[in-house]
Amino acid sequence: MLVIAVSGTGCGKFFKKDKDAPEGKPVEELYEKGHASMTGGNWDRAEITFRQLIAQYPYGPYTEQALMETAYAQYKAGKVDDTISTIDRFLRTYPTQRNVPYMYYLRGLANSGRDTVFLQRVWKLDPSRRDLATPLQGYSDFNLLAERYPNSRYAADARLRMLALRNLFARHELDTALYYLRRDAWVSAAARGKYLLETYPQSEYQYDAVAVLGEAYTHLGNETLAADARRVLQQNDPKHPWLTGNWPDYPNSLRKLNPFAGEKSAVDTKKKD
């Protein structure tokens, strides 16, 4: 009798179905709930709801849309690894879906900004001095989008982002060349400058690379190649400070003692009159 009384009163609550539980809810209702969380900027809640939808309804148009929106919610929440994993799952499952170009675009965004951590924003760390593996992957994603889907609504912006990434990669090569110049490694500096020009032509730093070649060849005693570099600069960038002997201008070494000063190199100290 005691068991019957208890089960008929308090303990019965444990077996009562939660009206907010996702089990058994129509797919349309789950999707609207997730979409409402997205609209309100509650990315974590949106991700949870869309995952519940996908688990209960593994096939259908709502599932396709939920998987895309899961990736976007993860991206907005800063879960970059999860974002890329979800996108890769979408591309494997729906390789011909009409929103495939968008997924490549989103993967490019995620990869190109993957290493932009909080400390880089606070201390203004130079992204070109970080590991470039993921930005290179982002560039590959944008390039794939632009080549396979040139008429996509995302293609034009992907091309612009590719230009920005190419400048980032070129800056990395230039900074390495300047490192070699500072240590009198003239052959290595010249090799880096030449590589920059060949790999990233028409980048933002192309004439700095020419100046690197001019500086390296001058110290190597190759007057012909040094004169060629000077002539190219005089014709295309006549105000470059290397022509007046004021470049490279390395930052003061005392700057490194200030943890809030950020990162600077001779690239940043260049001033054109």
Side-chain angles (χ1 to χ4, degrees):
M1 297 224 8
L2 179 61
V3 171
I4 295 172
V6 170
S7 62
T9 56
C11 290
K13 296 178 182 178
F14 293 104
F15 301 98
K16 197 185 265 187
K17 187 175 180 180
D18 184 358
K19 65 179 182 179
D20 294 325
E23 292 79 7
K25 283 190 175 182
V27 64
E28 297 88 349
E29 186 176 339
L30 281 173
Y31 178 78
E32 289 301 325
K33 180 180 177 182
H35 188 69
S37 297
M38 293 273 283
T39 304
N42 192 340
W43 312 116
D44 289 332
R45 174 54 57 186
E47 178 188 356
I48 291 171
T49 304
F50 287 134
R51 283 184 175 277
Q52 292 168 344
L53 185 157
I54 295 166
Q56 291 187 60
Y57 304 95
Y59 305 103
Y62 280 99
T63 305
E64 296 177 15
Q65 188 67 26
L67 196 56
M68 284 197 307
E69 300 208 36
T70 298
Y72 182 73
Q74 291 167 334
Y75 172 71
K76 294 295 288 184
K79 302 176 181 177
V80 181
D81 290 335
D82 291 340
T83 302
I84 294 170
S85 177
T86 301
I87 291 172
D88 289 345
R89 176 184 173 186
F90 181 94
L91 294 173
R92 287 193 304 269
T93 309
Y94 310 107
T96 59
Q97 213 261 11
R98 62 186 181 88
N99 287 308
V100 163
Y102 167 71
M103 298 307 280
Y104 279 121
Y105 177 73
L106 184 60
R107 194 171 72 178
L109 292 177
N111 273 317
S112 59
R114 199 169 189 171
D115 295 325
T116 307
V117 296
F118 174 74
L119 290 179
Q120 290 179 9
R121 295 174 182 173
V122 173
W123 275 280
K124 299 180 180 180
L125 302 185
D126 184 354
S128 71
R129 296 187 177 190
R130 312 276 80 77
D131 181 11
L132 297 181
T134 51
L136 282 166
Q137 182 58 55
Y139 183 91
S140 177
D141 292 328
F142 290 135
N143 187 54
L144 189 151
L145 167 61
E147 289 186 348
R148 289 191 187 177
Y149 309 97
N151 299 321
S152 164
R153 60 184 293 190
Y154 307 103
D157 189 66
R159 294 187 187 98
L160 291 175
R161 291 179 182 277
M162 287 170 64
L163 289 175
L165 285 170
R166 288 179 77 255
N167 282 329
L168 177 70
F169 305 148
R171 180 187 172 95
H172 173 80
E173 297 300 330
L174 176 61
D175 210 41
T176 304
L178 290 170
Y179 171 86
Y180 288 134
L181 285 183
R182 193 169 194 177
R183 282 151 183 77
D184 299 342
W186 314 119
V187 174
S188 297
R192 283 286 179 162
K194 185 178 179 181
Y195 177 81
L196 192 163
L197 290 171
E198 292 175 346
T199 310
Y200 307 108
Q202 299 181 338
S203 75
E204 181 181 343
Y205 303 100
Q206 62 177 337
Y207 296 123
D208 290 327
V210 174
V212 166
L213 292 176
E215 184 76 4
Y217 289 140
T218 297
H219 287 279
L220 288 170
N222 193 326
E223 297 180 3
T224 301
L225 293 180
D228 287 343
R230 180 173 294 276
R231 183 173 62 255
V232 169
L233 281 181
Q234 288 172 338
Q235 292 175 353
N236 298 280
D237 192 3
K239 293 185 179 180
H240 197 285
W242 181 76
L243 293 171
T244 57
N246 296 318
W247 192 87
D249 179 21
Y250 298 101
N252 193 315
S253 58
L254 294 177
R255 180 184 179 83
K256 296 179 180 179
L257 300 177
N258 182 0
F260 300 99
E263 291 180 316
K264 280 190 178 296
S265 73
V267 181
D268 304 294
T269 58
K270 186 184 73 172
K271 294 181 177 62
K272 294 184 179 181
D273 299 327

